[in-house]
Amino acid sequence: MNPEDDRVESGYRELKRAAWLEVDLSAIRHNLLAMRGLIGPRVQIMAVIKANGYGHGIVRVAKTAMDGGAQQLGVAMLQEALELRKAGIACPILVLGCSLPEMAHDIIYNRLTQTVSSVEMGKALSEAACSLGKKAYVHIKVDTGMGRLGMDVHKTVEFVMELQRLPGLVISGIFTHLACADEDNDSFSQFQLDNFRKALGELASFGVNMGIVHAANSAAMVKYPEAHFDMVRPGLALYGLPPYPTASQTISLCPSLSLKARIVQVRAFSRGCSIGYGQTYTLRKDTVLAVVPAGYADGLPRALSNRGYVLVRGKKAPIVGRVCMDQFMIDVGHIPHVEPGEAIAIIGKSEDEYISACDIADAAGTIQNEIVSSLTERLPRLYVNE
Ligand SMILES: *Cc1c(COP(=O)(O)O)cnc(C)c1O
């Protein structure tokens, strides 16, 4: 056993259950270096750590990202930003989503930067800033075609002029979000970037300084150097999840998350037995089944029922029957002498094989983002290679 395994083992002994997430912090550092190599020294990196750091654990990822070369953090909502401040993280944090006007006081008090796409929110922040004797730093969100949050791109100048009149409010950035950066067809991304550049040009012609300009999520960061502007906003790439299938041709990423478990039961079954809730699986031959102590309450999609597989000693062991709330069954009839206590990979490496969050997502009919961000707090997180 190499020293690294030993550390994992000793960490494992402190866990109170037989399924856990292993987060390789050196992989996150590697991914930051790879991104830095791609974008050059002048573009800032905002590490996007919403949804509990894509399931990895928000505080540890935040610290690793800031130590590893990110300049800012991005979260989806105030709640997440407050968790970071509570943990003593003092760096710039942008709340990417909308907050409600009544949250303005907490936002200013905690020195958070808020995305703004309405005058009403701008006013609430301005008032809170004045009453606290502080400044409200905001980034303007422009909708260039995503059809979600943001100010209509054609009304950007008017909107910015109105915000500029609010006392205590400082516009420190402007951004947009691309709807199709991970798709094969580039034309819609180009359309959005054109819209964005037009709005920026207009603002410049009015002599408005908008601060930090940003547009690129992971896919756009890898694919479109012209979308880098002053800062990129990688989520997926930070965690080593390829933002689109051929991204590895441009950037070398290292996945940081594994989902592991120890088998808790191994039992022989005869041909014809039905397995699990609803009798959805019937054994076609005598075999050996193992029970894995993780289920949909941990974030494993129930859609993996009779579809997915896990890796046992580098071999694929198919999931049989329905995934339950706390456990699921696998067929290990083709793998000799599997015993309770044996560690398996649900996501991650097992001997020479690897099963990715993407493989799981494909089997469940979803995307890797949903798989990792759904992993619940019930799974202990074990940090390795700190
Ligand atoms: C989630 C998010 C990102 C990160 O996207 P990835 O595809 O994970 O890189 C960037 N920007 C915004 C506005 C987001 O909501």
Side-chain angles (χ1 to χ4, degrees):
M1 193 182 274
N2 71 39
E4 189 187 308
D5 286 344
D6 198 33
R7 218 176 318 145
V8 172
E9 285 291 312
S10 62
Y12 171 74
R13 275 196 288 275
E14 287 155 29
L15 303 179
K16 297 290 178 263
R17 66 173 290 195
W20 69 99
L21 291 174
E22 227 165 82
V23 178
D24 183 349
L25 297 175
S26 71
I28 293 177
R29 288 192 296 272
H30 164 93
N31 297 329
L32 282 159
L33 286 175
M35 292 192 269
R36 179 54 70 201
L38 186 75
I39 65 177
R42 274 178 290 274
V43 175
Q44 291 194 36
I45 297 174
M46 167 177 283
V48 177
I49 56 171
K50 61 194 180 189
N52 199 22
Y54 287 47
H56 293 58
I58 190 168
V59 171
R60 294 303 289 270
V61 172
K63 290 180 175 164
T64 306
M66 291 311 294
D67 289 347
Q71 282 67 48
Q72 307 207 14
L73 300 173
V75 296
M77 50 194 73
L78 173 63
Q79 182 191 30
E80 296 171 328
L82 293 180
E83 190 178 342
L84 295 170
R85 286 287 186 254
K86 219 176 192 175
I89 293 165
C91 68
I93 300 174
L94 175 63
V95 179
L96 293 161
C98 276
S99 296
L100 297 169
E102 57 262 40
M103 299 172 183
H105 182 275
D106 280 341
I107 291 164
I108 309 296
Y109 185 78
N110 289 284
R111 295 169 290 101
L112 302 170
T113 308
Q114 175 61 48
T115 296
V116 172
S117 39
S118 77
V119 175
E120 190 201 11
M121 189 62 197
K123 282 183 178 156
L125 289 164
S126 160
E127 280 163 23
C130 291
S131 79
L132 284 163
K134 295 181 174 218
K135 294 270 185 253
Y137 292 95
V138 303
H139 283 205
I140 309 294
K141 177 80 182 273
V142 184
D143 184 0
T144 55
M146 172 78 181
R148 196 176 63 179
L149 292 180
M151 174 52 57
D152 184 329
V153 67
H154 305 294
K155 296 180 181 156
T156 309
V157 172
E158 194 186 323
F159 177 56
V160 167
M161 296 296 174
E162 211 165 336
L163 288 185
Q164 277 192 321
R165 283 195 286 271
L166 297 171
L169 189 128
V170 180
I171 300 173
S172 57
I174 184 166
F175 71 108
T176 193
H177 192 56
L178 303 181
C180 299
D182 57 351
E183 311 261 322
D184 288 338
N185 187 339
D186 296 334
S187 62
F188 195 66
S189 298
Q190 295 307 339
F191 166 79
Q192 285 196 266
L193 289 169
D194 279 347
N195 279 340
F196 190 46
R197 279 187 293 255
K198 260 181 237 158
L200 293 172
E202 250 183 277
L203 287 164
S205 74
F206 281 92
V208 185
N209 179 2
M210 296 301 299
I212 299 173
V213 177
H214 50 113
N217 61 1
S218 298
M221 172 188 71
V222 178
K223 249 196 228 178
Y224 308 126
E226 71 272 27
H228 291 172
F229 296 101
D230 302 320
M231 182 166 79
V232 292
R233 301 191 306 267
L236 289 173
L238 180 67
Y239 310 100
L241 301 168
Y244 57 95
T246 56
S248 65
Q249 292 168 7
T250 313
I251 189 168
S252 145
L253 297 171
C254 185
S256 52
L257 183 129
S258 307
L259 171 51
K260 299 194 173 169
R262 290 196 164 183
I263 286 170
V264 290
Q265 179 186 279
V266 180
R267 198 146 61 91
F269 285 80
S270 308
R271 175 170 177 251
C273 285
S274 66
I275 304 303
Y277 284 123
Q279 291 190 298
T280 61
Y281 192 86
T282 302
L283 297 178
R284 278 177 294 258
K285 56 179 186 187
D286 293 356
T287 192
V288 178
L289 300 186
V291 178
V292 181
Y296 59 76
D298 299 303
L300 274 179
R302 191 163 169 275
L304 290 174
S305 301
N306 295 314
R307 303 196 56 143
Y309 64 91
V310 301
L311 293 175
V312 179
R313 275 183 240 151
K315 293 193 176 62
K316 290 182 182 180
I319 295 173
V320 294
R322 284 198 181 138
V323 172
C324 313
M325 191 181 285
D326 318 300
Q327 50 224 320
F328 64 90
M329 290 72 86
I330 55 174
D331 191 334
V332 293
H334 55 303
I335 308 166
H337 314 300
V338 174
E339 288 192 26
E342 186 160 345
I344 64 151
I346 302 171
I347 297 172
K349 206 165 142 26
S350 169
E351 299 195 353
D352 294 330
E353 276 300 316
Y354 186 80
I355 178 167
S356 68
C358 220
D359 295 330
I360 297 269
D362 287 345
T366 180
I367 55 171
Q368 58 186 348
N369 319 32
E370 184 176 340
I371 298 294
V372 294
S373 65
S374 300
L375 297 167
T376 64
E377 283 295 337
R378 193 169 73 164
L379 285 166
R381 275 127 178 107
L382 187 61
Y383 293 94
V384 302
N385 299 325
E386 311 201 13

